[in-house]
Amino acid sequence: MEIIGKDKTVGILVVDGRQTYMGKMLSKKGYQVKMWQEEDEDVGDANVVILPVPVSRVKNQSRLMKCLNRHKDEIQLCLGGVFGEELVKALDEAEILWSDVLKNPEVAMKNAIATAEGTIAELSRLMPVNIEGSNVIVMGFGKCGKPIAEKLYCMGANVSVVARSERALSLAHYFGFMDYPMDAEIPFAEADAVINTIPALVINKREINLLQPDAVVLDIASAPGGCNFPYLKERGIAHKLALGLPGIYSPKTSGEILLAAMPFGYKPSETKWKS
């Protein structure tokens, strides 16, 4: 994809700090930037639109599609991450080109690291005990589960990994984690915390009933998550569905990662401190 010329106006839909930093970075490069709030319903004369990552962060998808369609003659390209089927259909029908930056493996990997750091920050706020020496179950060992488990291990936690695929289980075993298939006797009763990364209902009544009263459950899977939240509340188990963590805990770095994958020719500074 060709580098977008600076004669184009860039409209950025702001839902967290990542978009604010991206706007500053593009303005510094000489682009005309319009910061766009969801309630505005108007992207104005933007030729390129940057949507949140994931696009599901936009609460009113129907209003978003109507807005984009209203400006289809001006909009030439729509950038974002994890486009829903209905939005893709609407963009295609409006003949607006779109690109999903999270399909870039490097972006997905770096975004997962930011997610892992945010997950640990959230976990520290929820848990009544230190991470060091605690027993943590990580559900899933994919692009997010893997760095979460690794960082927790480096902080001194006893980490068990639950995964669905043989490949993920083998990889978890290779890294030295206790590994369990989904149908195994998973040690929920011994867990201080459970972190879910699997976008399917995997923490239900059976699993919740095994948890200790002061255990915590943190779900970072795409909405609606993979936990029975009403039953967690009924049992009095501390829990949270934590989405968009890179935008909360590392908005500048995450904004740079996303912008570097877009056709603006942006490159983050590579200056490093000497150790």
Side-chain angles (χ1 to χ4, degrees), residues 40-261:
D40 292 343
E41 299 189 18
D42 188 3
V43 68
D45 58 352
N47 309 116
V48 178
V49 171
I50 298 177
L51 298 178
V53 176
V55 177
S56 61
R57 294 291 307 284
V58 180
K59 295 177 182 177
N60 194 326
Q61 292 285 310
S62 177
R63 183 169 61 184
L64 171 62
M65 287 186 279
K66 288 179 181 177
C67 179
L68 295 175
N69 189 63
R70 189 183 309 126
H71 296 279
K72 64 182 180 181
D73 293 334
E74 294 85 28
I75 301 172
Q76 300 167 11
L77 176 63
C78 190
L79 301 164
V82 195
F83 287 78
E85 290 183 10
E86 289 188 13
L87 181 56
V88 167
K89 182 180 179 182
L91 289 170
D92 289 344
E93 288 178 352
E95 297 184 345
I96 299 173
L97 295 176
W98 57 275
S99 178
D100 188 335
V101 296
L102 283 187
K103 289 187 176 179
N104 181 319
E106 185 174 358
V107 172
M109 178 190 70
K110 290 180 178 179
N111 196 62
I113 292 171
T115 298
E117 292 188 9
T119 298
I120 291 170
E122 289 283 348
L123 190 65
S124 295
R125 294 167 64 91
L126 276 178
M127 289 176 66
V129 298
N130 288 343
I131 288 178
E132 182 175 359
S134 65
N135 299 324
V136 183
I137 296 173
V138 178
M139 306 291 292
F141 201 65
K143 62 184 179 184
C144 288
K146 183 175 177 291
I148 289 171
E150 289 174 340
K151 289 181 182 296
L152 286 170
Y153 175 80
C154 289
M155 294 179 70
N158 305 307
V159 180
S160 296
V161 170
V162 181
R164 294 180 287 189
S165 74
E166 287 295 331
R167 182 180 181 279
L169 289 169
S170 297
L171 191 60
H173 183 80
Y174 173 80
F175 278 99
F177 301 119
M178 295 294 293
D179 56 289
Y180 298 90
M182 297 296 297
D183 58 354
E185 290 298 320
I186 301 163
F188 288 104
E190 302 170 24
D192 295 298
V194 180
I195 300 172
N196 179 54
T197 70
I198 301 172
L201 185 58
V202 293
I203 307 296
N204 212 336
K205 290 184 177 182
R206 185 181 74 84
E207 292 77 21
I208 294 169
N209 284 334
L210 293 172
L211 294 174
Q212 297 297 319
D214 60 353
V216 303
V217 176
L218 182 62
D219 196 337
I220 67 163
S222 302
C227 299
N228 185 332
F229 292 109
Y231 194 64
L232 281 167
K233 184 177 181 180
E234 181 182 326
R235 279 286 319 279
I237 302 292
H239 61 279
K240 185 174 183 179
L241 175 61
L243 304 177
L245 293 176
I248 297 171
Y249 289 98
S250 53
K252 183 177 180 180
T253 301
S254 300
E256 288 180 331
I257 291 167
L258 296 174
L259 200 56

